């Protein structure tokens, strides 16, 4: 079945650093979404992408929908402590299928 | 606009019992999807309801069921609970776009189910 390969699995950030993560698949999707989840909470939508090649920003976050429709990346610029958490990519099949497929997540932690 | 609400937030049950979880979508949203989140398997799709009809279903056993009411509120039920059903159950609502596909999904805080 469809699968999203998200990397890296985890990373440490220092305040002010830029962060990049990506998601790839062997399948084609019509929509890519990026979520952030804090402990004990549900995922919160950060950015939604609907067109191949689309580049969308939300504050310090920028995400792109790959031209092949099989991948997406998320960048966080000038990271701050509240950026820690788990980031998930998700992709939506078109047609009548309304389910999201999720990556395994990228855990962002602060460098000790 | 109020977000997606889920009740209860926490639940402890024993093996063999059944449980019902509730989800109220964002006002105006007509599609409700349910997901199970575990450390090992991550987020997995259970089912989606639209206009009181199950439109899509994931790969879960028949012990997992759901329904949607005319006001778009949804419930999911798990019968004969097993230890492996311990998880965070998330509900997401969306406004379905033309053509039947589901638009961007917004998640509730989840119900943390522990099966002892």
């Amino acid at each position: 079945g469809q699968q999203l390969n998200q990397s890296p699995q985890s990373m440490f950030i220092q305040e002010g650093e830029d962060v990049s993560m990506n998601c790839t698949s062997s399948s084609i999707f019509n929509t890519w979404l990026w979520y952030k989840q804090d402990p004990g909470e549900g995922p919160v939508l950060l950015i939604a992408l609907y067109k191949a090649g689309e580049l969308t920003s939300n504050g310090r976050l920028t995400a792109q929908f790959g031209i092949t429709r099989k991948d997406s990346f998320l960048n966080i610029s000038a990271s701050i402590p509240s950026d820690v958490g788990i980031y998930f990519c998700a992709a939506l099949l078109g047609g009548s299928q309304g389910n999201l497929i999720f990556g395994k997540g990228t855990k962002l932690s602060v460098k000790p | 606009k109020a977000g997606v609400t889920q009740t209860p937030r926490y639940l402890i049950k024993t093996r063999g019992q059944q449980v019902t979880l509730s989800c109220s979508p964002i006002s105006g949203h007509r599609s409700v999807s349910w997901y199970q989140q575990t450390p090992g398997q991550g987020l997995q799709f259970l089912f989606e309801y639209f206009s009181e009809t199950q439109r899509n279903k994931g790969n879960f056993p028949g012990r997992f069921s759901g329904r949607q009411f005319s006001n778009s509120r949804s419930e999911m039920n798990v019968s004969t609970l097993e230890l492996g059903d311990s998880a965070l159950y998330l509900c997401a609502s969306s406004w379905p776009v033309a053509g039947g596909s589901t638009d961007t999904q917004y998640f509730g805080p989840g119900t943390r189910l522990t099966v002892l």
Side-chain angles (χ1 to χ4, degrees):
Chain A
Q2 289 89 3
Q3 204 172 318
L4 300 186
N5 301 306
Q6 187 171 349
S7 64
Q9 274 189 312
S10 62
M11 56 195 309
F12 288 91
I13 58 171
Q14 202 146 44
E15 190 170 350
E17 284 182 340
D18 293 345
V19 171
S20 286
M21 60 192 78
N22 68 78
C23 241
T24 61
S25 176
S26 57
S27 302
I28 290 174
F29 294 100
N30 290 337
T31 301
W32 283 91
L33 306 165
W34 286 92
Y35 289 89
K36 180 181 181 231
Q37 187 175 26
D38 291 324
E41 300 296 326
V44 173
L45 181 67
L46 299 173
I47 293 181
L49 302 157
Y50 300 104
K51 290 182 191 174
E54 180 182 358
L55 185 72
T56 298
S57 292
N58 178 9
R60 294 178 296 105
L61 277 60
T62 302
Q64 183 157 28
F65 190 149
I67 199 75
T68 63
R69 293 164 63 196
K70 294 181 179 181
D71 59 353
S72 177
F73 72 74
L74 175 71
N75 285 341
I76 305 172
S77 63
S79 57
I80 59 178
S82 62
D83 289 336
V84 301
I86 302 178
Y87 291 79
F88 291 98
C89 62
L92 184 66
L93 292 165
S96 63
Q97 299 186 54
N99 56 302
L100 287 175
I101 298 168
F102 281 84
K104 294 292 188 187
T106 295
K107 185 177 181 180
L108 235 56
S109 305
V110 177
K111 270 183 191 171
Chain B
K1 210 183 230 187
V4 178
T5 57
Q6 291 187 247
T7 56
R9 290 292 309 273
Y10 302 92
L11 206 49
I12 299 176
K13 292 284 187 179
T14 55
R15 276 183 300 175
Q17 286 188 308
Q18 74 162 19
V19 67
T20 299
L21 313 180
S22 180
C23 170
S24 293
I26 292 172
S27 176
H29 284 192
R30 294 168 61 196
S31 173
V32 173
S33 298
W34 288 89
Y35 294 82
Q36 181 195 64
Q37 185 176 29
T38 59
Q41 299 298 318
L43 277 146
Q44 293 185 287
F45 172 75
L46 281 156
F47 28 65
E48 182 211 2
Y49 285 86
F50 172 65
S51 290
E52 302 177 63
T53 302
Q54 187 181 89
R55 190 163 67 168
N56 200 8
K57 189 178 190 303
N59 295 323
F60 278 82
R63 298 185 298 107
F64 293 81
S65 63
R67 59 178 176 166
Q68 187 180 34
F69 302 95
S70 58
N71 61 358
S72 295
R73 191 177 69 84
S74 177
E75 288 180 348
M76 70 162 278
N77 185 77
V78 188
S79 62
T80 319
L81 284 166
E82 301 176 0
L83 294 179
D85 296 334
S86 294
L88 181 67
Y89 289 89
L90 293 159
C91 161
S93 77
S94 62
W95 177 258
V97 297
S101 63
T102 303
D103 199 358
T104 308
Q105 296 184 16
Y106 296 87
F107 284 82
T111 294
R112 171 73 62 186
L113 172 65
T114 302
V115 182
L116 301 175

